[in-house]
Amino acid sequence: MVRQNTSGDEAAAPTDDGVGASSGSGRVADADPEDRAEDEGRPSIEVDGIDVEGPSVDPREAPMEYVESVTELAVVDVVAAGDRVGDLLTVAREFDDDVRTAAGEALNLVGLLRPVEFDVWVEDVRAAAEADDEELSFLGLRALAQLAGERPQAAAAGLDVALGNLSAPRPDLRKAALSIVAEVGAVAPERVRRADRDVVEALGAPAAEVRLAGAIAAAKLLGADPAAFPRTASALFDALDDDDPGVREYAHTGLVHFALEHPEQVPEKRRAISVLADVTDADVGLREGATKEALTSLLALDPEYDL
């Protein structure tokens, strides 16, 4: 299949507002699906022997119908749906309420099924993320976060936007920003050093979902380069006693990872040893033996400590 950018100047001719799609005029009801697709200037996709037609409406004239058709397409051919990411972003930008919500859900579905589809659209996604409109900004940040999980270097195109949202008042914006920083920082910690204080603040945030995102970020950053995040290294211990079980679990996971990768840089080593001595791998969802290895690494640095 030839990839089509229906929001640019390739394949389908763009409309005045930059949204490219055919109007579907001149459709012959009884024509062969392949012939109809060719006549209407849209693709006909075959997936496992099933003929799936691309959207047949102009997203500007019938945005909800267009978005719904892309959502249906994503279920059977997410790569083909990925070709419409630009259109979905445009619809989300130009329409409000139910249409924007539906476009956001379609983008989220693409991101859940195949986040690498956002790679080719990363500049468009970044533009959405930096919008003044918080709803649109969230759609962009969430897509960048999904992409970061698979291709952190590609998602780094929106790193400046993520860093600027680490203290956002909305928990969903903050959570998405933390996810981007965590994934990019895991492979390039030097690029997110300035996030040290923000991760600490996230670990103490009122919203549990932000604290959880902070704990996940802490685990990844401390496993990569703890020297770059000294405040986070200390704050991780407070998260071990968080009221939320998910936060506690990730804090323990982060401590294990930290001790395995950089045992000499773990602060409060005796407290860490005491904590890990009371945790099993099953408690925090780790591979068998991980906690024992972490504990052994710390005890090797303090042989006089008696458990």
Side-chain angles (χ1 to χ4, degrees):
M1 182 186 72
V2 178
R3 189 173 188 85
Q4 296 187 34
N5 177 351
T6 57
S7 286
D9 55 5
E10 301 174 10
T15 59
D16 292 339
D17 58 3
V19 182
S22 68
S23 65
S25 59
R27 174 167 177 163
V28 181
D30 296 327
D32 180 86
E34 294 286 348
D35 294 334
R36 291 204 309 269
E38 183 176 353
D39 290 342
E40 296 171 9
R42 56 188 169 79
S44 180
I45 306 129
E46 188 170 306
V47 184
D48 296 331
I50 302 174
D51 186 70
V52 181
E53 296 181 19
S56 60
V57 295
D58 187 323
R60 181 188 57 187
E61 297 177 0
M64 183 62 84
E65 183 179 347
Y66 181 86
V67 170
E68 289 174 347
S69 67
V70 174
T71 301
E72 294 171 358
L73 181 61
V75 175
V76 293
D77 189 347
V78 67
V79 175
D83 293 337
R84 279 81 180 177
V85 165
D87 284 344
L88 292 174
L89 288 168
T90 299
V91 168
R93 183 177 65 249
E94 298 188 356
F95 296 90
D96 296 321
D97 302 326
D98 291 346
V99 173
R100 173 177 287 180
T101 298
E105 291 173 351
L107 286 165
N108 189 39
L109 179 59
V110 172
L112 290 171
L113 295 175
R114 186 175 161 83
V116 295
E117 290 301 315
F118 294 135
D119 194 345
V120 72
W121 300 101
V122 70
E123 290 303 325
D124 300 82
V125 173
R126 181 189 183 282
E130 64 182 355
D132 292 333
D133 185 314
E134 289 185 342
E135 293 293 339
L136 183 59
S137 179
F138 170 66
L139 298 185
L141 281 170
R142 182 177 60 189
L144 285 171
Q146 291 170 325
L147 175 61
E150 294 288 333
R151 295 182 179 173
Q153 297 291 12
L159 183 59
D160 58 333
V161 185
L163 289 168
N165 277 278
L166 288 175
S167 298
R170 281 182 45 159
D172 55 357
L173 290 173
R174 203 170 174 187
K175 178 182 174 182
L178 283 162
S179 296
I180 297 166
V181 168
E183 298 296 345
V184 175
V187 297
E190 70 283 354
R191 300 191 64 177
V192 299
R193 293 175 68 98
R194 56 171 279 198
D196 187 24
R197 191 183 300 275
D198 294 294
V199 174
V200 173
E201 292 178 356
L203 288 170
E209 64 182 292
V210 174
R211 298 199 306 276
L212 178 58
I216 295 172
K220 288 182 176 291
L221 298 178
L222 294 176
D225 185 5
F229 310 98
R231 294 181 180 87
T232 299
S234 297
L236 180 67
F237 286 87
D238 294 331
L240 294 169
D241 298 318
D242 194 276
D243 293 337
D244 185 85
V247 177
R248 292 198 303 272
E249 179 177 333
Y250 268 98
H252 281 83
T253 299
L255 181 58
V256 171
H257 190 40
F258 188 3
L260 283 172
E261 298 296 328
H262 308 279
E264 70 287 347
Q265 296 188 52
V266 174
E268 302 184 56
K269 289 182 177 58
R270 292 194 172 184
R271 183 182 176 189
I273 290 170
S274 178
V275 168
L276 294 181
D278 291 332
V279 174
T280 68
D281 297 320
D283 290 336
V284 291
L286 293 172
R287 63 173 175 78
E288 185 176 354
T291 302
K292 183 178 180 180
E293 290 175 24
L295 184 59
T296 300
S297 297
L298 292 175
L299 285 170
L301 298 172
D302 191 357
E304 296 182 359
Y305 183 62
D306 186 6
L307 282 174

